[in-house]
Structure formats: structure tokens, C-alpha cells
Amino acid sequence: MIFNAEVDAIGMNCPLPILRTKKALATMQTGEVLKVKVTDAGAAHDFPAFAKQTGNELLATTQEGNVLIFFLKRR
């Protein structure tokens, strides 16, 4: 997937991955895509809830080993 920015939150625990994602999205333009890499197991539930709450679109979720990868489209 094509993305405009990336957040590497590997090794960070909640709430840091969400906080880093929020900060990155704030610097992006509407329609741009953010890739987020996370190892926190709780992220599987946190990111869909975050997207719904903030109005950003969760485009895809994938997993490579123990790394969860989320693609969010800026509202």
C-alpha cells in the first residue's frame, strides 16, 4: 500500500503507539495515508477504536510476525 508517512512504535506499550499516531496525523493533509508498525498486543483493539473515535479511516491491518501494521487515512 502506498503511504505518505510512517510511525515506528515497535517495542512501545499503550498509550504511546496511539499518541505517536495522533501526533503524526496532526501534521498530515486530508486524504494522506499513515503506516503504523506496533508490537503491543492491545493495538489490535486500540487502533480500530481510535479510528472510529477520531473519524480517520482504518484502511487495512496486516501482521508480519509479531508486528501489527495499520494503514490510516487522514480525515
Side-chain angles (χ1 to χ4, degrees):
M1 182 174 294
I2 297 171
F3 56 93
N4 304 94
E6 182 174 347
V7 170
D8 184 346
I10 292 174
M12 296 180 190
N13 293 321
C14 186
L16 288 177
I18 291 290
L19 293 174
R20 295 269 172 108
T21 298
K22 185 177 179 180
K23 185 176 179 180
L25 285 169
T27 67
M28 298 174 70
Q29 300 296 315
T30 298
E32 289 186 324
V33 176
L34 177 66
K35 176 181 179 180
V36 185
K37 298 189 298 185
V38 184
T39 50
D40 180 16
H45 301 289
D46 295 342
F47 276 83
F50 171 77
K52 184 176 181 179
Q53 183 180 24
T54 61
N56 296 295
E57 183 180 354
L58 181 59
L59 298 175
T61 303
T62 62
Q63 188 166 356
E64 294 177 5
N66 67 333
V67 178
L68 291 168
I69 302 170
F70 300 96
F71 292 92
L72 292 131
K73 185 175 183 179
R74 172 77 158 98
R75 63 176 160 89

